[in-house]
Short mmCIF file of all heavy atoms in Angstrom, two decimals:
data_model
loop_
_atom_site.label_atom_id
_atom_site.label_comp_id
_atom_site.label_asym_id
_atom_site.label_seq_id
_atom_site.Cartn_x
_atom_site.Cartn_y
_atom_site.Cartn_z
N ALA A 120 -96.52 -25.22 145.30
CA ALA A 120 -97.21 -25.59 144.06
C ALA A 120 -98.48 -26.39 144.33
O ALA A 120 -98.71 -27.44 143.74
CB ALA A 120 -96.28 -26.37 143.14
N VAL A 121 -99.31 -25.86 145.23
CA VAL A 121 -100.56 -26.53 145.62
C VAL A 121 -101.75 -25.60 145.49
O VAL A 121 -102.79 -25.97 144.92
CB VAL A 121 -100.47 -27.05 147.08
CG1 VAL A 121 -101.79 -27.65 147.52
CG2 VAL A 121 -99.34 -28.06 147.24
N LEU A 122 -101.64 -24.39 146.02
CA LEU A 122 -102.82 -23.57 146.23
C LEU A 122 -103.44 -23.04 144.95
O LEU A 122 -104.59 -22.60 144.96
CB LEU A 122 -102.49 -22.42 147.18
CG LEU A 122 -102.12 -22.86 148.60
CD1 LEU A 122 -101.87 -21.64 149.48
CD2 LEU A 122 -103.18 -23.76 149.21
N HIS A 123 -102.73 -23.09 143.83
CA HIS A 123 -103.35 -22.68 142.56
C HIS A 123 -104.47 -23.63 142.15
O HIS A 123 -105.28 -23.31 141.29
CB HIS A 123 -102.31 -22.58 141.46
CG HIS A 123 -101.55 -23.84 141.21
ND1 HIS A 123 -100.71 -24.40 142.15
CD2 HIS A 123 -101.50 -24.67 140.14
CE1 HIS A 123 -100.18 -25.51 141.65
NE2 HIS A 123 -100.65 -25.69 140.44
N TRP A 124 -104.51 -24.83 142.75
CA TRP A 124 -105.60 -25.76 142.50
C TRP A 124 -106.85 -25.43 143.33
O TRP A 124 -107.89 -26.06 143.15
CB TRP A 124 -105.16 -27.19 142.80
CG TRP A 124 -104.09 -27.71 141.89
CD1 TRP A 124 -102.76 -27.83 142.16
CD2 TRP A 124 -104.26 -28.19 140.55
NE1 TRP A 124 -102.08 -28.34 141.09
CE2 TRP A 124 -102.98 -28.57 140.07
CE3 TRP A 124 -105.36 -28.31 139.70
CZ2 TRP A 124 -102.78 -29.08 138.79
CZ3 TRP A 124 -105.16 -28.82 138.43
CH2 TRP A 124 -103.89 -29.20 137.98
N VAL A 125 -106.74 -24.49 144.25
CA VAL A 125 -107.83 -24.17 145.18
C VAL A 125 -108.40 -22.80 144.82
O VAL A 125 -107.75 -21.77 145.07
CB VAL A 125 -107.32 -24.16 146.64
CG1 VAL A 125 -108.47 -23.86 147.60
CG2 VAL A 125 -106.66 -25.49 146.99
N PRO A 126 -109.59 -22.74 144.23
CA PRO A 126 -110.13 -21.44 143.82
C PRO A 126 -110.28 -20.45 144.98
O PRO A 126 -110.20 -19.23 144.76
CB PRO A 126 -111.50 -21.80 143.22
CG PRO A 126 -111.36 -23.23 142.80
CD PRO A 126 -110.46 -23.85 143.81
N THR A 127 -110.49 -20.96 146.19
CA THR A 127 -110.71 -20.10 147.35
C THR A 127 -109.45 -19.94 148.19
O THR A 127 -109.53 -19.68 149.39
CB THR A 127 -111.84 -20.68 148.23
OG1 THR A 127 -111.47 -22.01 148.65
CG2 THR A 127 -113.15 -20.73 147.47
N HIS A 128 -108.28 -20.05 147.57
CA HIS A 128 -107.08 -20.07 148.41
C HIS A 128 -106.77 -18.72 149.06
O HIS A 128 -106.05 -18.68 150.07
CB HIS A 128 -105.86 -20.59 147.64
CG HIS A 128 -105.30 -19.70 146.60
ND1 HIS A 128 -105.66 -19.78 145.27
CD2 HIS A 128 -104.40 -18.69 146.66
CE1 HIS A 128 -104.99 -18.88 144.58
NE2 HIS A 128 -104.22 -18.19 145.40
N ALA A 129 -107.30 -17.63 148.55
CA ALA A 129 -107.09 -16.35 149.23
C ALA A 129 -107.73 -16.38 150.60
O ALA A 129 -107.11 -15.96 151.60
CB ALA A 129 -107.67 -15.21 148.39
N GLU A 130 -108.96 -16.88 150.69
CA GLU A 130 -109.63 -17.00 151.99
C GLU A 130 -108.91 -18.01 152.87
O GLU A 130 -108.78 -17.81 154.08
CB GLU A 130 -111.09 -17.42 151.79
CG GLU A 130 -111.97 -16.36 151.15
CD GLU A 130 -111.91 -16.39 149.62
OE1 GLU A 130 -111.05 -17.11 149.05
OE2 GLU A 130 -112.72 -15.69 149.00
N LEU A 131 -108.41 -19.08 152.27
CA LEU A 131 -107.70 -20.10 153.03
C LEU A 131 -106.42 -19.53 153.65
O LEU A 131 -106.11 -19.78 154.83
CB LEU A 131 -107.39 -21.29 152.11
CG LEU A 131 -106.73 -22.51 152.72
CD1 LEU A 131 -107.23 -23.77 152.02
CD2 LEU A 131 -105.22 -22.44 152.59
N LEU A 132 -105.66 -18.74 152.88
CA LEU A 132 -104.44 -18.13 153.41
C LEU A 132 -104.75 -17.21 154.58
O LEU A 132 -104.03 -17.20 155.59
CB LEU A 132 -103.71 -17.38 152.30
CG LEU A 132 -103.00 -18.24 151.26
CD1 LEU A 132 -102.52 -17.36 150.10
CD2 LEU A 132 -101.83 -18.99 151.87
N THR A 133 -105.79 -16.43 154.46
CA THR A 133 -106.19 -15.54 155.55
C THR A 133 -106.54 -16.36 156.80
O THR A 133 -106.12 -16.02 157.92
CB THR A 133 -107.39 -14.69 155.13
OG1 THR A 133 -107.02 -13.84 154.04
CG2 THR A 133 -107.88 -13.82 156.28
N ARG A 134 -107.26 -17.43 156.61
CA ARG A 134 -107.64 -18.29 157.75
C ARG A 134 -106.42 -18.90 158.41
O ARG A 134 -106.33 -18.96 159.64
CB ARG A 134 -108.61 -19.38 157.27
CG ARG A 134 -109.00 -20.38 158.34
CD ARG A 134 -110.21 -21.19 157.94
NE ARG A 134 -110.02 -21.96 156.72
CZ ARG A 134 -109.44 -23.16 156.71
NH1 ARG A 134 -108.96 -23.70 157.82
NH2 ARG A 134 -109.33 -23.82 155.57
N TRP A 135 -105.46 -19.36 157.59
CA TRP A 135 -104.25 -19.96 158.17
C TRP A 135 -103.46 -18.94 158.97
O TRP A 135 -103.03 -19.23 160.09
CB TRP A 135 -103.38 -20.52 157.05
CG TRP A 135 -103.86 -21.83 156.50
CD1 TRP A 135 -104.96 -22.54 156.89
CD2 TRP A 135 -103.25 -22.57 155.44
NE1 TRP A 135 -105.08 -23.68 156.13
CE2 TRP A 135 -104.05 -23.72 155.24
CE3 TRP A 135 -102.14 -22.36 154.63
CZ2 TRP A 135 -103.74 -24.68 154.27
CZ3 TRP A 135 -101.82 -23.31 153.67
CH2 TRP A 135 -102.61 -24.46 153.49
N VAL A 136 -103.25 -17.75 158.41
CA VAL A 136 -102.48 -16.73 159.14
C VAL A 136 -103.13 -16.42 160.48
O VAL A 136 -102.46 -16.32 161.51
CB VAL A 136 -102.33 -15.46 158.28
CG1 VAL A 136 -101.76 -14.31 159.12
CG2 VAL A 136 -101.44 -15.72 157.08
N ARG A 137 -104.43 -16.28 160.48
CA ARG A 137 -105.13 -15.91 161.72
C ARG A 137 -105.17 -17.05 162.73
O ARG A 137 -105.38 -16.80 163.93
CB ARG A 137 -106.54 -15.43 161.37
CG ARG A 137 -106.50 -14.09 160.63
CD ARG A 137 -107.86 -13.61 160.18
NE ARG A 137 -107.76 -12.28 159.55
CZ ARG A 137 -108.74 -11.69 158.90
NH1 ARG A 137 -109.93 -12.29 158.79
NH2 ARG A 137 -108.54 -10.49 158.36
N ALA A 138 -104.95 -18.29 162.27
CA ALA A 138 -104.92 -19.44 163.18
C ALA A 138 -103.54 -19.70 163.75
O ALA A 138 -103.41 -20.43 164.74
CB ALA A 138 -105.42 -20.69 162.46
N LEU A 139 -102.49 -19.12 163.14
CA LEU A 139 -101.13 -19.39 163.56
C LEU A 139 -100.74 -18.52 164.74
O LEU A 139 -101.21 -17.39 164.89
CB LEU A 139 -100.16 -19.14 162.41
CG LEU A 139 -100.22 -20.13 161.24
CD1 LEU A 139 -99.39 -19.62 160.06
CD2 LEU A 139 -99.73 -21.51 161.68
N PRO A 140 -99.82 -19.03 165.59
CA PRO A 140 -99.35 -18.21 166.71
C PRO A 140 -98.43 -17.09 166.23
O PRO A 140 -97.86 -17.15 165.14
CB PRO A 140 -98.58 -19.22 167.57
CG PRO A 140 -98.13 -20.27 166.61
CD PRO A 140 -99.22 -20.37 165.58
#
Side-chain angles (χ1 to χ4, degrees):
V121 176
L122 295 183
H123 58 295
W124 295 102
V125 181
T127 59
H128 71 265
E130 291 86 350
L131 184 146
L132 287 171
T133 297
R134 176 164 60 84
W135 283 0
V136 169
R137 291 176 177 170
L139 290 170

